[in-house]
Amino acid sequence: EYPGTAVVLGTVRDLLGDADPGIRKAAIEAVAITRDPTAGEKLVEIFQANADADTRKAALRALAATKSPAAAELVAGLLDKPGDNATSLPEAVAAAAAIGGPKMLESLKQFASAEAPPDALVAAFEALAPLQANAAAHAVAAPAQPPHATLPP
């Protein structure tokens, strides 16, 4: 860690609460660059408080970069309701893959077998592959298989 890193990270975190949306968005992007894991809860708050799609996407990208466990509930909720969150799905999939862990793996597996835009499903399949190849195979095959077909374990 360089001298002054804590001051810079603290300043960026403070700017996440700035009244000016442009400064707030710049701070969100700065968090994505610095990968400050302590900004996770504030990024979740920003996502939940903003209706602006660009701000929400930027917050999800920053959460993915920080790999913040604080985002797990938010991301799981987005993936659980793809029809309500179509504009944020690619970023939510990326965040789930970056955060990792059993909860995100399960959310990605469920999402991969849901009705969602093809680009978001492709991103989910790509995210699942390195996380757990067997789970990815089952998730990809499930929608394509007739009800009586089964995959080996």
Side-chain angles (χ1 to χ4, degrees):
E1 187 170 301
Y2 295 103
T5 298
V7 172
V8 170
L9 294 177
T11 300
V12 169
R13 281 192 304 272
D14 289 345
L15 291 173
L16 288 171
D18 197 274
D20 182 323
I23 291 174
R24 221 178 16 253
K25 189 162 183 214
I28 293 168
E29 291 171 5
V31 170
I33 293 166
T34 62
R35 299 177 182 189
D36 178 7
T38 64
E41 289 180 16
K42 184 64 178 171
L43 290 167
V44 169
E45 289 174 20
I46 289 171
F47 181 92
Q48 293 171 334
N50 280 277
D52 177 62
D54 289 337
T55 301
R56 290 167 67 97
K57 289 178 185 181
L60 285 171
R61 285 191 299 272
L63 286 164
T66 65
K67 300 180 181 183
S68 175
E73 288 297 321
L74 169 68
V75 171
L78 294 172
L79 295 177
D80 190 42
K81 296 180 181 174
D84 296 343
N85 302 296
T87 59
S88 302
L89 289 177
E91 290 80 9
V93 167
I99 295 165
K103 181 174 188 66
M104 293 295 89
L105 178 61
E106 187 58 34
S107 290
L108 283 168
K109 285 176 8 184
Q110 288 180 7
F111 174 75
S113 61
E115 297 265 342
D119 61 331
L121 290 174
V122 168
F125 298 149
E126 289 172 347
L128 276 168
L131 294 176
Q132 187 180 40
N134 192 31
H138 283 273
V140 170
Q145 297 295 321
H148 55 74
T150 59
L151 287 174

